[in-house]
Amino acid sequence: MTDQVMDAPSALRRPEGDRSGRARLAILLCAAMLVVIAIGSLGWGASDASALGVVLDMVTGGADSVPARDRIIVWDIRLPRVILGMLIGASLAVSGAVMQGLFRNPLADPGLVGVSAGAGLGAIGIIVLGAGVLAPVSAAFGIYALPFAAFLGGLATTLILYRVATRRGQTSVATMLLAGIALGALAGAASGLLVYVADDRQLRDLTFWNLGSLAGATWTKIAAAGPIIALSLVASPFLARGLNGLSLGETTAHHLGIPVQRLKNVAIVMVAAAVGASVAVSGGIGFVGIVVPHLLRLAIGPDHRYLLPASALLGACLLLVADAVSRTIVAPAELPIGIVTAAVGAPFFLWILLRRRGILDL
Amino acid sequence: MIEATDVSVHIGAKRIVTGADFQAAPGEFVSIVGPNGSGKTTFLRALSGDLGYEGEIAIGGRDMKRMKPWQLASIRAVLPQAATLAFPFTVREVVKLGLTAGRSGVLPGEDERLPERALAKVDLEGFAGRLYQELSGGEQQRVQLARVLCQVWAPVLDGAPRYLILDEPVSSLDIKHQLVIMNIARDFARRGGGAIAILHDLNLAAMYSDRIYVMHRGRIAATGTPTDVLRDDLIARVFECDLRVNELPPSGVPYLLPQSVARTAG
Ligand SMILES: Nc1ncnc2c1ncn2[C@@H]1O[C@H](COP(=O)(O)OP(=O)(O)OP(=O)(O)O)[C@@H](O)[C@H]1O
Ligand SMILES: [Mg+2]
């Protein structure tokens, strides 16, 4: 027997091979961890403002004991940053897990296969051309123009990728990764072209955005990206049973009664929306989508009914921790968070490749 | 009743199945035999609702083209010729996927115990906790069959018969488990369901089938009871080899021996 499956606490004893008890426990643990980390992040920063003080002040009806400056730091700087961090982390991890389920492949990740680059192209397009050719678009969509453009970029990339890499319901790993490289390069080239024609102010916007950072977190950004991400997160559990069936192949999924085409359409739109919204507000933050689901599959198995919510929670935790590291490691300056996630995620990815080398059919 | 009338199937521009008429009634074990590439799997995929086709297929009196995947899933379960699994599920988790359609037909609440019962049926007690991907080929095939059994556990649901559609269910099994699986399918039919299986072993087909369909070059070349169908001339023509049909004395079930072997032995 595989000990990985057997050693669940006896209080949660279930039939052999049933990992749902352990999965529920893991979800609870992740949720508890997220609460602790989020509260910690609120209270902790360059200034010594006390989050607890500010909250108490609010609750007791504002006896003016807390300086206005502290209130601003906690409410308008730290809180939006923590919320945005959780949203982005959850969104990236869940889109990674959904994409892996859709492509039936644990190596699919929005960052690796060019979806983030496509979304980035959409975002850059709006930043650079938003005042010119695309002025009607930015006027019509207001603060949603950026996430919407990124969504379209991500959607186009995902659709092309799926078309290229999947044939008769079977996805080829090699084709998917190579097509992802090509699409990423193409989106990168187009983005480069746009940067070339950008003016100084736009360039500043771009650089800031491009590094992948939570530093610019504001309530406006949360208002722009939050609803889209929240909607995707809420939609994802409805894909879970379908994705479980899909892991036996498209034909078998159909035999099990799953409307496969509709499942694929919803999954693709969901991934593009979540990745698009995330990329629009925080740039390219890589590897969260591959690291989190992979670790969770080792711990609780691949059942998407548990994997998706657990990914959301652990992804949120991971991004808050990465953000804390990015704020401290070169303090008082700040490292773009994308560098932190890549520094941890890239070696991890290599480790996955090493483990799977024997069975990877490249 | 699953009934196909004048069914043709194209894949791309190529016609693979031509004008097939086929019936599988509840209570019957129906097998499809024929050489490699004769179109058995393609025809079965049309019967399962996976492929577009010309002609008509009705299942329980309803036109299959008008049925949604979940409606089909509640009256028939399909064992594919080859199955893959993308992620490391345990054996129990794979078997439980058979309950996706949610119409096993056992009492409410008993679904939870069904994977164990299905695994016991296919002689895989104690395998529930193993990872599917670490099993042998024959063990994996039996796990898939257990999953299929969960989907239509009750052969009759709400008065309507249900069907097992099996593409080479015993092709990678040892002799004991071939018999175990064939017995499960026949038992399913005896209890009021229908069983359709593609088989390569003509002797097994003869032993178990109420009716045999012989496919040859995309057409139904013959149909009938084992004694009707398993005739020297027909078998020799379809399978392009020299075979002699004999009869097992007590039961009258025909059995075949490749002629060259029979000659040496005699
Ligand atoms: N997707 C496809 N594209 C093109 N040709 C196909 C496809 N599927 C099957 N064929 C062709 O159709 C013919 C019948 O194939 P099918 O799989 O139905 O045979 P079969 O009778 O099940 O054979 P076997 O005993 O080997 O399983 C073969 O010549 C095969 O090459
Ligand atoms: Mg076949």
Side-chain angles (χ1 to χ4, degrees):
Chain A
M1 302 298 110
T2 323
D3 52 1
Q4 184 192 322
V5 175
M6 291 288 294
D7 61 8
S10 54
L12 293 158
R13 194 177 296 123
R14 287 175 180 269
E16 206 180 308
D18 180 345
R19 291 179 279 191
S20 61
R22 155 207 296 251
R24 292 205 179 92
L25 187 69
I27 290 177
L28 280 181
L29 284 177
C30 288
M33 197 161 75
L34 181 59
V35 171
V36 172
I37 295 176
I39 291 177
S41 307
L42 263 188
W44 183 66
S47 117
D48 58 359
S50 147
L52 187 64
V54 173
V55 172
L56 279 180
D57 181 56
M58 287 286 295
V59 174
T60 56
D64 255 355
S65 54
V66 175
R69 185 193 63 113
D70 283 12
R71 214 173 301 150
I72 291 174
I73 287 176
V74 173
W75 281 120
D76 291 333
I77 298 179
R78 287 190 198 158
L79 186 59
R81 185 159 179 160
V82 168
I83 292 180
L84 198 69
M86 293 198 294
L87 282 172
I88 305 275
S91 148
L92 292 176
V94 169
S95 1
V98 170
M99 215 162 155
Q100 286 144 28
L102 176 70
F103 281 82
R104 308 182 63 233
N105 187 320
L107 298 181
D109 169 78
L112 280 176
V113 297
V115 177
S116 300
L121 175 60
I124 293 176
I126 276 291
I127 292 176
V128 174
L129 305 175
V133 192
L134 297 180
V137 180
S138 20
F141 285 92
I143 56 167
Y144 297 106
L146 192 63
F148 185 68
F151 161 69
L152 288 184
L155 185 65
T157 331
T158 317
L159 284 175
I160 298 174
L161 192 69
Y162 196 85
R163 269 294 163 83
V164 174
T166 304
R167 205 159 153 253
R168 282 198 230 114
Q170 300 290 337
T171 306
S172 143
V173 192
T175 317
M176 176 194 72
L177 292 176
L178 295 175
I181 292 174
L183 286 171
L186 201 62
S191 304
L193 201 66
L194 285 172
V195 169
Y196 201 70
V197 300
D199 64 30
D200 274 356
R201 192 188 51 78
Q202 291 166 344
L203 269 183
R204 249 193 328 276
D205 281 357
L206 277 180
T207 324
F208 200 69
W209 173 85
N210 217 3
L211 289 171
S213 167
L214 294 176
T218 57
W219 287 111
T220 320
K221 283 192 175 176
I222 291 177
I228 303 175
I229 293 177
L231 202 67
S232 313
L233 291 179
V234 170
S236 66
F238 294 99
L239 300 174
R241 288 170 74 84
L243 293 176
N244 283 344
L246 204 56
S247 58
L248 284 162
E250 282 188 26
T251 313
T252 303
H254 172 252
H255 295 155
L256 290 170
I258 294 160
V260 174
Q261 195 54 48
R262 193 168 78 196
L263 171 74
K264 291 194 298 190
N265 292 343
V266 174
I268 286 175
V269 169
M270 195 231 106
V271 166
V275 173
S278 308
V279 167
V281 289
S282 66
I285 300 178
F287 294 101
V288 178
I290 201 155
V291 171
V292 171
H294 195 88
L295 283 177
L296 284 170
R297 263 188 224 105
L298 289 178
I300 64 173
D303 188 333
H304 291 86
R305 287 173 303 170
Y306 308 110
L307 181 66
L308 296 178
S311 293
L313 294 166
L314 192 62
C317 291
L318 188 78
L319 215 68
L320 287 185
V321 171
D323 188 45
V325 172
S326 78
R327 282 188 286 163
T328 19
I329 201 161
V330 291
E334 182 173 325
L335 208 61
I337 191 172
I339 294 181
V340 179
T341 58
V344 178
F348 184 87
F349 180 64
L350 288 175
W351 172 71
I352 299 177
L353 286 180
L354 273 177
R355 268 172 37 101
R356 294 176 46 95
R357 198 163 42 175
I359 45 176
L360 203 66
D361 57 337
L362 276 178
Chain B
M1 175 91 94
I2 293 186
E3 188 167 20
T5 316
D6 196 18
V7 165
S8 299
V9 185
H10 293 255
I11 296 185
K14 201 165 138 202
R15 186 162 67 194
I16 314 273
V17 175
T18 311
D21 291 317
F22 175 93
Q23 293 185 342
E28 273 187 345
F29 186 116
V30 176
S31 54
I32 305 176
V33 302
N36 291 144
S38 56
K40 304 181 296 297
T41 295
T42 308
F43 180 59
L44 209 70
R45 291 185 62 205
L47 283 184
S48 316
D50 302 340
L51 290 176
Y53 55 86
E54 293 139 42
E56 268 176 46
I57 301 180
I59 177 162
R62 297 163 72 187
D63 181 359
M64 205 175 62
K65 280 186 178 143
R66 293 166 178 273
M67 294 175 71
K68 302 284 181 203
W70 52 91
Q71 295 174 319
L72 280 171
S74 70
I75 35 182
R76 62 97 181 91
V78 186
L79 181 76
Q81 185 166 2
T84 59
L85 183 67
F87 298 106
F89 285 97
T90 62
V91 166
R92 187 179 197 280
E93 288 164 342
V94 172
V95 175
K96 211 165 168 232
L97 287 176
L99 297 173
T100 301
R103 303 270 289 160
S104 64
V106 294
L107 294 174
E110 279 187 25
D111 271 358
E112 222 19 71
R113 307 282 315 138
L114 216 44
E116 278 71 28
R117 291 166 70 186
L119 284 170
K121 265 202 165 184
V122 299
D123 198 24
L124 285 176
E125 276 139 327
F127 279 69
R130 301 268 298 270
L131 289 179
Y132 175 86
Q133 290 158 331
E134 292 172 1
L135 302 186
S136 78
E139 288 164 350
Q140 290 187 344
Q141 195 168 7
R142 278 145 62 202
V143 172
Q144 294 288 347
L145 191 81
R147 166 181 69 72
V148 166
L149 287 177
C150 275
Q151 187 175 337
V152 291
W153 188 260
V156 179
L157 183 65
D158 301 338
R162 308 205 283 177
Y163 298 87
L164 286 177
I165 299 183
L166 313 169
D167 193 346
E168 299 194 22
V170 296
S171 56
S172 50
L173 303 186
D174 59 59
I175 185 85
K176 170 190 169 189
H177 291 110
Q178 292 187 9
L179 297 175
V180 167
I181 300 311
M182 294 296 287
N183 283 335
I184 291 175
R186 182 168 61 186
D187 179 54
F188 186 86
R190 292 291 170 266
R191 290 188 292 132
I196 304 171
I198 294 179
L199 296 171
H200 273 305
D201 186 329
L202 297 175
N203 289 320
L204 274 185
M207 272 176 70
Y208 282 90
S209 309
D210 298 302
R211 178 198 293 274
I212 298 181
Y213 283 85
V214 182
M215 280 199 86
H216 185 42
R217 300 191 178 154
R219 295 175 186 271
I220 305 279
T223 175
T225 64
T227 340
D228 292 342
V229 166
L230 299 180
R231 286 176 285 114
D232 290 350
D233 54 329
L234 179 77
I235 296 305
R237 176 171 65 83
V238 167
F239 289 92
E240 292 168 17
C241 62
D242 211 2
L243 289 165
R244 162 101 1 126
V245 181
N246 301 288
E247 219 166 73
L248 221 51
S251 58
V253 172
Y255 73 95
L256 291 96
L257 280 180
Q259 184 59 0
S260 51
V261 174
R263 257 190 209 130
T264 346

